[in-house]
């Protein structure tokens, strides 16, 4: 079997990720300020909503720095690894070995999700020093040492490349827009549910349009938040796909073995099931889509807008230097 020769400047990629994060945060603050300003100017409320939205952005930014990792681990039901468990002890040994190979000062903390039917893993954290690698018990039971090393190499690559920084930040910032969207939609539906339209018609007949103005205001906030959230998610998906190829390449560099990671991806494609504790907010962090959405196996222009991961068969094809269609047929992907 031929081995793919990778030509990625990983140090340049790391610096690029840091620059992207700074640019992303700056754009996000400008977006939130514009968002509030549009509403303030439309309804003559300046600077109330400009101030509120910037405050929400700042709170979300700070929460992502200090609590983002803990929130992710709790949301997927992860626990610290158990050194008394034989399989988890073997995992710890692999992580320690690859940490040395990667030149990191100390290994990341290990967490485990109790789910034997799912083969998956992810890395999270804000800095290299507080990074975490989390795997499922299904991964520990299904993969051999070579395959597990491939997966751990991939996750260590996300830590080294500072992918975890930009991905954690994107998740948090999009979360801020979603919070505004949810509050506006709930307020709008509650207002309509308790007779907003009826009051609007009665008051319009009397020349009082205050109810109509409230409805228009809530609809405008919800609509703009939905638009901004959609744009943010599209950028998230694009960043997610590109980083997976880079992490695969660096995993090969760390393990000096593309076969292990390719074997792990093959087992994930054929055996793994949907992880019920994962969500659209955390799916992009995993090595493969834990929600098993078919859009991630498509290569059309439309699918590329909404997929968080490149197709597994494409990743295996790159690692094994084989035609993608041949791998796709082998995996029986429609």
């Amino acid at each position: 079997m031929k081995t793919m020769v990778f030509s990625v400047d990983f140090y340049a990629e790391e610096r690029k990720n840091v620059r992207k994060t700074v640019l992303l945060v700056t754009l996000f603050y400008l977006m939130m300020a514009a968002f509030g300003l549009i509403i303030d100017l439309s309804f003559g409320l300046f600077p109330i909503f400009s101030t509120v939205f910037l405050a929400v952005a700042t709170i979300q930014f700070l929460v992502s720095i200090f609590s983002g990792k803990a929130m992710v681990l709790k949301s997927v039901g992860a626990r610290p690894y158990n050194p008394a468990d034989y399989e988890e002890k073997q995992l710890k040994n692999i992580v320690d070995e690859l940490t040395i190979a990667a030149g990191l000062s100390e290994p990341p903390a290990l967490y485990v999700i109790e789910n034997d039917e799912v083969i998956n893993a992810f890395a999270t954290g804000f800095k290299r020093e507080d990074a975490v690698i989390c795997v499922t018990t299904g991964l520990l039971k299904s993969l051999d040492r070579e395959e597990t090393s491939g997966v751990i190499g991939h996750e260590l690559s996300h830590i080294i490349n500072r992918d975890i920084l930009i991905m954690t930040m994107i998740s948090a910032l999009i979360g801020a827009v979603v919070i505004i969207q949810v509050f506006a939609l709930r307020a709008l539906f509650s207002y309509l549910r308790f007779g907003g339209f009826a009051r609007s018609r009665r008051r319009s007949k009397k020349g009082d349009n205050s109810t109509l103005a409230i409805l228009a205001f809530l609809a405008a906030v919800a609509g703009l938040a939905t638009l901004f959230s959609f744009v943010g998610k599209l950028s998230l998906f694009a960043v997610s796909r590109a980083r997976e190829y880079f992490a695969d390449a660096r995993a090969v560099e760390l393990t000096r073995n593309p076969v292990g990671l390719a074997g792990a991806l093959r087992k994930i494609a054929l055996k793994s099931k949907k992880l019920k504790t994962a969500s659209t907010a955390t799916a992009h962090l995993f090595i493969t889509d834990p929600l098993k959405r078919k859009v991630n196996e498509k290569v059309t222009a439309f699918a590329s807008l909404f997929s968080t991961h490149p197709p597994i068969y494409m990743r295996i094809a790159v690692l094994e230097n084989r035609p993608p269609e041949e791998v796709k047929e082998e995996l029986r992907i429609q």
Side-chain angles (χ1 to χ4, degrees):
M1 180 186 301
K2 295 178 181 178
T3 301
M4 184 74 176
V5 176
F6 297 100
S7 58
V8 179
D9 185 341
F10 298 112
Y11 299 102
E13 189 62 24
E14 175 192 341
R15 291 193 295 272
K16 192 189 300 180
N17 275 337
V18 174
R19 289 198 300 273
K20 279 182 181 176
T21 304
V22 173
L23 179 62
L24 176 75
V25 172
T26 304
L27 288 175
F28 176 71
Y29 268 89
L30 291 174
M31 185 183 76
M32 292 294 275
F35 187 10
L37 194 61
I38 290 171
I39 295 171
D40 281 337
L41 295 178
S42 299
F43 295 92
L45 298 171
F46 185 81
I48 296 176
F49 279 86
S50 301
T51 306
V52 169
F53 289 168
L54 286 175
V56 170
T58 302
I59 291 170
Q60 193 71 11
F61 176 70
L62 294 174
V63 167
S64 72
I65 292 175
F66 296 108
S67 304
K69 179 180 72 178
M71 289 169 68
V72 169
L73 292 171
K74 185 177 180 181
S75 72
V76 297
R79 60 161 173 82
Y81 100 103
N82 176 12
D85 181 279
Y86 176 74
E87 290 168 338
E88 294 179 30
K89 189 176 179 181
Q90 273 199 323
L91 173 69
K92 173 65 174 166
N93 290 337
I94 292 171
V95 171
D96 288 347
E97 289 171 8
L98 290 177
T99 296
I100 294 171
L104 292 174
S105 57
E106 57 184 87
L110 284 179
Y111 277 71
V112 175
I113 301 171
E114 293 282 358
N115 193 319
D116 293 350
E117 295 187 328
V118 174
I119 306 171
N120 222 320
F122 69 89
T124 187
F126 196 74
K127 297 182 295 185
R128 289 172 180 159
E129 294 74 18
D130 73 352
V132 164
I133 289 179
C134 181
V135 306
T136 61
T137 51
L139 182 144
L140 297 175
K141 294 180 187 304
S142 302
L143 304 190
D144 60 27
R145 186 181 181 85
E146 184 180 48
E147 293 161 344
T148 303
S149 295
V151 172
I152 297 302
H154 176 99
E155 299 307 332
L156 278 173
S157 301
H158 284 316
I159 295 170
I160 299 165
N161 294 350
R162 307 294 295 274
D163 290 334
I164 56 173
L165 167 67
I166 188 166
M167 300 311 294
T168 303
M169 191 58 66
I170 288 177
S171 298
L173 299 185
I174 290 177
V177 183
V178 172
I179 288 171
I180 295 171
Q181 179 189 11
V182 169
F183 273 112
L185 285 173
R186 284 184 178 176
L188 179 63
F189 290 139
S190 297
Y191 198 75
L192 293 173
R193 183 181 175 188
F194 293 106
F197 266 134
R199 285 197 298 274
S200 174
R201 284 197 294 270
R202 286 196 300 270
R203 290 182 177 180
S204 291
K205 290 178 181 177
K206 297 176 182 177
D208 180 1
N209 292 320
S210 59
T211 305
L212 192 60
I214 293 172
L215 285 171
F217 171 75
L218 292 175
V221 175
L224 281 172
T226 302
L227 175 64
F228 281 41
S229 172
F230 179 72
V231 172
K233 285 177 181 176
L234 289 184
S235 64
L236 164 67
F237 296 156
V239 172
S240 298
R241 291 191 301 272
R243 76 190 181 109
E244 296 302 335
Y245 283 121
F246 284 119
D248 285 352
R250 193 151 197 176
V252 172
E253 187 189 67
L254 286 176
T255 60
R256 301 185 182 282
N257 176 14
V259 176
L261 180 56
L265 291 173
R266 185 174 276 104
K267 284 185 178 176
I268 290 173
L270 296 174
K271 297 181 180 179
S272 185
K273 296 185 178 179
K274 179 179 176 180
L275 179 60
K276 294 179 180 177
T277 53
S279 67
T280 53
T282 57
H284 62 283
L285 297 171
F286 287 80
I287 187 170
T288 63
D289 181 20
L291 303 177
K292 305 290 282 185
R293 291 166 292 188
K294 292 187 180 299
V295 69
N296 285 295
E297 291 305 325
K298 307 288 184 184
V299 291
T300 63
F302 178 79
S304 68
L305 285 175
F306 300 97
S307 55
T308 52
H309 296 74
I312 288 182
Y313 74 88
M314 293 281 288
R315 294 167 67 181
I316 295 174
V318 171
L319 290 165
E320 296 181 346
N321 199 20
R322 294 170 58 194
E325 290 305 317
E326 184 181 299
V327 180
K328 186 178 181 181
E329 186 177 344
E330 175 202 322
L331 299 177
R332 298 181 180 178
I333 295 173
Q334 300 298 318

